[in-house]
Amino acid sequence: MAPAEVIIIDLVFIDGELGMVKLTADGVLEAIEYGEPSRYWTVKKDVLGFVVEGKKIRIKTVVEREEGICCCEFGGDGDYSRRDFVFEPFSEDARNRFCFRLRRYLDSLGRPKRLLVFVNPFGGKKSAMKIFEKEVKPLFEDADIQLDVQETKYQLHAKEMVRSMDVSKYDGIVCVSGDGVLVEVVNGLLERADWKTVFKLPIGVIPAGTGNGMIKSLLDPVGLHCCANSATISIIRGHTRSLDVATISQGTTKFFSVLMLAWGLIADIDIESEEFRWMGSARLNFYAVQRIMCLRQYNGRILFVPAPGFESHGQPGSFSLYKEPTVSNKAVGYQGPDTEFEDLEWREIKGPFVSVWLHNVPWGAEDTLAAPDAKFSDGFLDLIVLKNCPKLALLSLMTQISEGTHVQSPYVAYLKVKAFALEPGALVGEPEKEGIIDADGEVLARGRRSYKCEQISLMSYDKLQITVDQGLATLFSPEY
C-alpha cells in the first residue's frame, strides 16, 4: 500500500530540541524527535483540538487507559485521559500554515461545533452540574465546541424548551442527566410542527442520573465505562446511530418512548421504591425483596404482533389499533408510524401476570441488562413476560438481571414484537386495587388504590397500544 499523501510537514522545536511534525491525508499526526521513537496520533480518534499559545501550538489529545487502570482526569471510572503535545514552529507563517491545515482536517470530520446542553440538577445524586463543570465542559472546550447550557428547573422543563425554541442553530442536543431529560427532549421535538426537520438533530447523553440505561446501552458494546468521560468524547467525535422510537397511544393521547414500558413487578419496584430514595440505588434491591416476599399478580391481557421467528408465543388473538381522526383534526406533530397492522396475525397472552416488561434497548439501568438481545434500530421491541414463578426462583431471577441471564429461565417468555397492546387489570384477589404503568422511568398511568393514585397521570389505567418507527431518532454514539 502506498504511503498516504503528506498534507504538511515542518521543522519545529519540541521541548527545545529540533524535530519534525507531519500530518498526512489519512489523518495521522507524527512527531519525529532526534534520538527518540516517533510518536503518532490519529486525528479522528486521538485529537480533540488545538490552541495557539504565543509561538507554540498545543495539540489537545486523549489516550486510552491501560487495561485495568482507571485514568479519568477528574476521578472515578473513565476510559481516556488528557495528554497534550506542544511544539514550536520556526516562524509565524509556518505556525499559521500548520494551524490552517489541521483545522481544515478537523472540520472535515463532521464533528459538532455548537451544542445545546441540558443539565438536570435534580437527578441521581444531584451532582449533574458538578459533573458538567469538572468532567464535561473542559473536554468540549478542548474540542472548541460552543455550548448553550440550560439548567432544567422542574420536571418537563427540557420538553417545554425544545418544543418552542430555535434549535436549527445547533449541531446536536446533549442531556447531562439520567434518562429522564432524554425522554423529555424526544417528546418535545416530536410535538413540534417541524419535527421532521428538527428530529434529525443527534441527541447525546452524559450519565448524571439514577438509571442511565441509554448511555450504558451505547457504551457497553464497545467496552467503554458508563461515565461522563467516555460519553463526552463519543459526542465530540461526532459518530451517530439511529434509534427506534415507540409510540404509546391511548385514544388521541400519545407518549413517545425510547427505553421501556413496565407493568407489574418491575413497575411497582421502580415507582414505589421512590419513598426510599435516601438509600440511593440500593433502594431498588431493598424494595425488590419486599415486593417478592409479598408478591402481587395482576389480571389482564397482552396482545402483540410477533417478529419473524417468534410466532409460536401466545395464542391467536384479535385487536384493532386505534384509528387516528381525519387529517384536518389531527394535532400538530408526529402521529406515530404509518403501518397497517390490521391484516397481521396478532397473538395474545392472558394473565394473571407477575410482570410485563417491554424494552427498546438492552440496558434499563447501569446494572440492569433487561433485554440482552435488544437492538437500537431493528424495528422491534423486546418483550419479557413473567407469569407463575415460585418466590425463591423469582429472587434468583432478580439477581440474574445484571447479567441478562434471567431471560433464559423457563419461567420467562422472551420474544421480539412489532406492535403491542396492553389491557391491564386489577390485582388478583383484590379487584378494587390496580397497578402502575411505567414508561421510561416515569408513571404513565396509575390505577385505583395504587401508589400515589391521587396524582394526575398522562394516561388512564386502561387499554393502550404501542407501535414502533424504525430508526426515527439519531443518537451520538461511539463508533462500532
Side-chain angles (χ1 to χ4, degrees):
M1 181 181 296
E5 175 190 355
V6 175
I7 294 176
I8 189 169
I9 184 168
D10 271 326
L11 287 172
V12 297
F13 290 110
I14 303 174
D15 296 329
E17 300 292 332
L18 189 63
M20 186 177 296
V21 173
K22 178 172 65 174
L23 176 64
T24 62
D26 59 355
V28 175
L29 181 65
E30 180 181 1
I32 305 165
E33 304 170 63
Y34 180 74
E36 298 289 339
S38 295
R39 286 183 281 172
Y40 298 88
W41 297 268
T42 302
V43 175
K44 181 179 180 181
K45 183 178 180 182
D46 306 320
V47 176
L48 296 177
F50 67 91
V51 293
V52 175
E53 298 175 341
K55 296 180 179 180
K56 298 179 179 180
I57 298 174
R58 181 178 296 273
I59 308 293
K60 297 179 175 291
T61 73
V62 291
V63 295
E64 293 186 19
R65 68 183 176 91
E66 297 180 18
E67 187 67 28
I69 298 177
C70 173
C71 57
C72 181
E73 185 178 7
F74 306 102
D77 289 331
D79 296 282
Y80 305 94
S81 62
R82 289 275 292 100
R83 190 172 299 170
D84 292 351
F85 166 58
V86 182
F87 63 92
E88 181 182 340
F90 270 33
S91 67
E92 182 179 351
D93 285 345
R95 183 195 65 199
N96 293 341
R97 184 171 61 248
F98 190 92
C99 290
F100 174 77
R101 298 286 187 178
L102 181 55
R103 171 55 59 198
R104 188 162 70 173
Y105 191 89
L106 284 167
D107 289 345
S108 74
L109 298 176
R111 292 178 174 180
K113 299 183 184 303
R114 187 173 185 181
L115 295 170
L116 172 61
V117 180
F118 289 108
V119 181
N120 176 17
F122 306 107
K125 299 178 180 179
K126 301 183 179 180
S127 58
M129 187 53 73
K130 182 179 179 180
I131 290 172
F132 173 73
E133 291 290 345
K134 289 189 174 182
E135 302 186 44
V136 178
K137 186 178 178 182
L139 290 170
F140 281 141
E141 289 176 341
D142 285 349
D144 197 26
I145 296 175
Q146 297 181 49
L147 305 177
D148 181 353
V149 182
Q150 301 287 335
E151 188 172 352
T152 57
K153 306 298 183 184
Y154 46 85
Q155 190 175 17
L156 301 182
H157 191 195
K159 177 182 177 181
E160 291 175 5
M161 283 191 281
V162 299
R163 189 167 52 192
S164 59
M165 68 187 301
D166 178 14
V167 296
S168 63
K169 56 188 176 182
Y170 302 109
D171 300 312
I173 301 174
V174 174
C175 309
V176 185
S177 168
D179 295 312
V181 172
L182 165 66
V183 175
E184 288 188 28
V185 168
V186 167
N187 277 267
L189 292 176
L190 287 176
E191 289 180 6
R192 294 170 59 118
D194 61 347
W195 69 268
K196 289 184 179 179
T197 300
V198 300
F199 208 59
K200 294 177 182 177
L201 280 176
I203 305 172
V205 184
I206 295 174
T210 302
N212 305 318
M214 183 61 74
I215 190 62
K216 175 73 172 184
S217 297
L218 286 165
L219 297 175
D220 184 72
V222 291
L224 294 175
H225 286 78
C226 183
C227 68
N229 171 274
S230 305
T232 305
I233 291 172
S234 295
I235 293 169
I236 289 170
R237 289 174 175 169
H239 302 298
T240 61
R241 69 174 308 156
S242 57
L243 173 71
D244 294 342
V245 175
T247 301
I248 305 175
S249 303
Q250 189 176 76
T252 57
T253 305
K254 289 181 171 56
F255 178 85
F256 305 110
S257 168
V258 291
L259 289 163
M260 51 77 77
L261 178 136
W263 171 58
L265 178 64
I266 299 300
D268 292 347
I269 293 172
D270 188 22
I271 303 304
E272 293 177 6
S273 66
E274 287 180 354
E275 61 180 303
F276 302 106
R277 274 193 176 274
W278 56 270
M279 299 178 65
S281 59
R283 69 182 172 93
L284 296 172
N285 294 329
F286 169 76
Y287 193 69
V289 173
Q290 288 194 16
R291 272 281 48 83
I292 292 172
M293 290 298 97
C294 301
L295 192 62
R296 300 168 180 165
Q297 288 187 302
Y298 293 93
N299 291 308
R301 182 174 75 132
I302 60 173
L303 297 104
F304 53 89
V305 176
F310 295 93
E311 294 87 353
S312 62
H313 290 269
Q315 303 296 323
S318 61
F319 181 78
S320 296
L321 289 178
Y322 171 77
K323 290 291 187 179
E324 291 292 336
T326 59
V327 175
S328 60
N329 294 327
K330 278 189 176 182
V332 171
Y334 174 68
Q335 296 299 308
D338 295 324
T339 310
E340 296 293 336
F341 291 101
E342 282 72 10
D343 297 331
L344 300 180
E345 294 187 5
W346 285 81
R347 309 285 291 181
E348 72 172 16
I349 299 176
K350 294 180 179 179
F353 297 97
V354 171
S355 180
V356 173
W357 209 359
L358 202 61
H359 251 265
N360 192 35
V361 294
W363 292 86
E366 288 186 54
D367 59 354
T368 305
L369 184 52
D373 295 339
K375 302 293 187 293
F376 280 86
S377 56
D378 62 354
F380 302 111
L381 298 170
D382 284 36
L383 175 61
I384 306 105
V385 180
L386 181 63
K387 296 188 70 178
N388 296 318
C389 183
K391 292 181 181 180
L392 285 178
L394 186 52
L395 281 170
S396 177
L397 277 179
M398 296 302 288
T399 65
Q400 297 171 29
I401 288 179
S402 62
E403 302 294 330
T405 54
H406 61 291
V407 298
Q408 301 169 11
S409 167
Y411 298 106
V412 174
Y414 181 41
L415 62 151
K416 288 182 178 288
V417 301
K418 179 62 179 175
F420 177 83
L422 171 64
E423 297 179 356
L427 193 65
V428 172
E430 297 185 55
E432 74 286 353
K433 187 173 183 179
E434 297 171 328
I436 294 170
I437 302 174
D438 174 8
D440 292 359
E442 301 295 335
V443 176
L444 190 67
R446 301 178 191 267
R448 292 173 298 162
R449 292 184 58 193
S450 63
Y451 179 72
K452 294 186 176 180
C453 61
E454 72 282 356
Q455 295 187 3
I456 298 175
S457 301
L458 179 64
M459 296 183 183
S460 61
Y461 188 77
D462 202 347
K463 299 177 183 179
L464 55 82
Q465 65 190 41
I466 303 178
T467 50
V468 187
D469 205 332
Q470 184 172 6
L472 184 66
T474 303
L475 297 177
F476 284 112
S477 166
E479 188 173 17
Y480 284 73

